[in-house]
Amino acid sequence: MAPLLQSSQPWVEKYRPKQVKDVAYQDEVVRVLTNTLETASCPHMLFYGPPGTGKTTTALAISHQLFGPELYKSRVLELNASDDRGINVVRTKIKDFAAVAVSSGQRQGGYPCPPFKIIILDEADSMTEDAQNALRRTMETHSKVTRFFFICNYISRIIEPLASRCAKFRFKPLSEEVMSKRILHISNEEGLSLDGEALSTLSSISQGDLRRAITYLQSAARLFGSSISSKDLISVSGIIPREVVDALFTACKSGNFDIANKEVNNVLAEGYPVAQMLSQIFEVVVEDNDLQDEQKAKICKKLAEADKCLVDGADEYLQLLDVVSQMMQALSSMQS
């Protein structure tokens, strides 16, 4: 067994790809950016897609590979959602950085060092519309010496004038096969042993988000040592065990309100989040072949209403009880 406390560094950072070619599954993006590395010519780019699929990693990797460690600090400006990126920052900091000319590119230490700078705006969809509008002119005016990389989860929140100035790349949620391969590599490096069931569980609970999968793996390794089971992963992820969800669903099918109320109390007594329970009940309902479409529609409508109420701060017990009673009503129409 490898010692698990060698490093306090999060594995997400430790195993973050340093080169574009190491980014998993995003073949089109990798192909275009590899070409960029060879020709050192690059458009403005917009990376969008779900969290944990490699957007920020790719932007940082291409920047490091273009400029190398020496020039990186002077040629790349990285701004995240945690930094102030309001209209004043766009007019001052970004504009000043974009306006400064750079020396024409000579390769240094094996890096292409093209004659432009890069501004990476991570989580660009959280920028205000005014700030995005202020960027339009800057992008055009300084396009000779500056390239913009926008990174976001929702492309619909990027104003059309900015989106149309960029080459767009969609990052897909990672497939189970790709995630399993990466997780196995990290497990081998860290001296962990995972069985096939644990691997598929990790893929399903992280829903294509590799960062989340690696974080769950590290948490489980810290808690349970080098041999990790499917149950261990579920316990660190905050996912409600399937048997608890099934018990609640079975109680609804029984048609007995007292039994259902008891299950609702059990869920809350165990401290499970009701929002998570609603999303897992949704999956059970959709996959249930015994239910008619009309029943599924009624239940899903109620789940959506309860989810909205929870977001607005409603009482968890009452919302779950409301969902359960509506489900009982919908399910009883099936039995009658």
Side-chain angles (χ1 to χ4, degrees):
M1 174 180 163
L4 285 174
L5 296 169
Q6 299 163 346
S7 156
S8 58
Q9 188 184 21
W11 293 353
V12 171
E13 297 305 327
K14 188 174 177 184
Y15 295 100
R16 191 189 281 275
K18 300 287 187 287
Q19 297 190 320
V20 173
K21 65 180 172 59
D22 297 332
V23 173
Y25 197 54
Q26 313 297 348
D27 303 331
E28 300 91 346
V29 187
V30 170
R31 204 163 48 242
V32 170
L33 293 183
T34 306
N35 187 40
T36 296
L37 283 170
E38 287 164 9
T39 59
S41 70
C42 170
H44 298 301
M45 294 195 202
L46 173 56
F47 298 159
Y48 67 100
T53 49
K55 302 183 297 295
T56 305
T57 295
T58 305
L60 294 175
I62 186 83
S63 305
H64 278 291
Q65 281 185 268
L66 282 172
F67 299 115
E70 289 191 9
L71 276 179
Y72 180 85
K73 278 204 168 82
S74 60
R75 291 287 187 94
V76 180
L77 175 67
E78 187 198 352
L79 292 175
N80 201 303
S82 54
D83 303 307
D84 180 18
R85 294 175 313 182
I87 193 162
N88 291 332
V89 171
V90 173
R91 285 177 174 157
T92 54
K93 192 172 181 180
I94 292 178
K95 199 172 176 184
D96 291 348
F97 184 83
V100 177
V102 292
S103 58
S104 57
Q106 285 98 28
R107 291 181 76 90
Q108 289 186 19
Y111 296 99
C113 302
F116 55 77
K117 298 186 297 307
I118 291 175
I119 296 178
I120 300 172
L121 294 171
D122 204 344
E123 296 179 50
D125 46 3
S126 65
M127 288 178 77
T128 62
E129 208 167 302
D130 288 342
Q132 290 187 43
N133 275 310
L135 272 175
R136 293 160 56 175
R137 194 84 187 104
T138 307
M139 282 177 78
E140 280 185 352
T141 314
H142 305 299
S143 60
K144 274 194 173 147
V145 290
T146 307
R147 300 289 182 276
F148 282 84
F149 287 4
F150 296 98
I151 301 170
C152 65
N153 295 130
Y154 305 103
I155 193 169
S156 55
R157 293 185 192 164
I158 302 294
I159 60 170
E160 187 51 41
L162 283 195
S164 66
R165 288 172 167 82
C166 301
K168 299 184 196 69
F169 296 102
R170 186 174 80 86
F171 281 67
K172 306 182 285 278
L174 302 182
S175 69
E176 188 169 325
E177 186 189 343
V178 172
M179 287 187 76
S180 297
K181 197 171 161 190
R182 190 76 188 151
I183 291 296
L184 275 175
H185 166 69
I186 294 173
S187 302
N188 292 335
E189 292 286 317
E190 296 291 336
L192 306 177
S193 67
L194 272 78
D195 55 20
E197 190 193 354
L199 263 179
S200 64
T201 299
L202 191 54
S203 296
S204 63
I205 61 179
S206 47
Q207 298 174 323
D209 181 337
L210 186 55
R211 176 170 52 223
R212 193 191 299 179
I214 295 170
T215 305
Y216 287 161
L217 183 69
Q218 186 171 13
S219 304
R222 286 279 181 271
L223 274 171
F224 302 106
S226 63
S227 185
I228 297 169
S229 68
S230 171
K231 200 175 170 190
D232 298 337
L233 289 166
I234 286 173
S235 72
V236 299
S237 67
I239 301 287
I240 299 167
R242 182 64 187 236
E243 56 269 22
V244 177
V245 183
D246 287 343
L248 189 69
F249 193 55
T250 308
C252 293
K253 281 182 174 174
S254 74
N256 185 323
F257 183 77
D258 289 334
I259 295 174
N261 186 27
K262 189 177 165 206
E263 284 300 333
V264 168
N265 281 311
N266 282 347
V267 168
L268 289 158
E270 288 291 332
Y272 294 124
V274 171
Q276 178 67 35
M277 176 57 96
L278 296 186
S279 96
Q280 287 182 242
I281 289 176
F282 170 74
E283 286 170 23
V284 171
V285 168
V286 169
E287 289 165 10
D288 194 315
N289 295 324
D290 297 334
L291 295 179
Q292 296 158 8
D293 286 350
E294 189 184 344
Q295 290 170 312
K296 288 184 180 181
K298 278 181 182 170
I299 294 170
C300 290
K301 182 170 181 275
K302 187 66 227 169
L303 288 170
E305 286 170 7
D307 196 39
K308 168 72 170 68
C309 291
L310 286 173
V311 169
D312 292 340
D315 182 78
E316 291 200 333
Y317 171 69
L318 292 176
Q319 291 308 315
L320 189 54
L321 202 60
D322 191 14
V323 165
V324 163
S325 55
Q326 293 282 346
M327 278 172 69
M328 286 172 73
Q329 198 177 352
L331 292 166
S332 65
S333 65
M334 172 180 76
Q335 290 156 355
S336 57

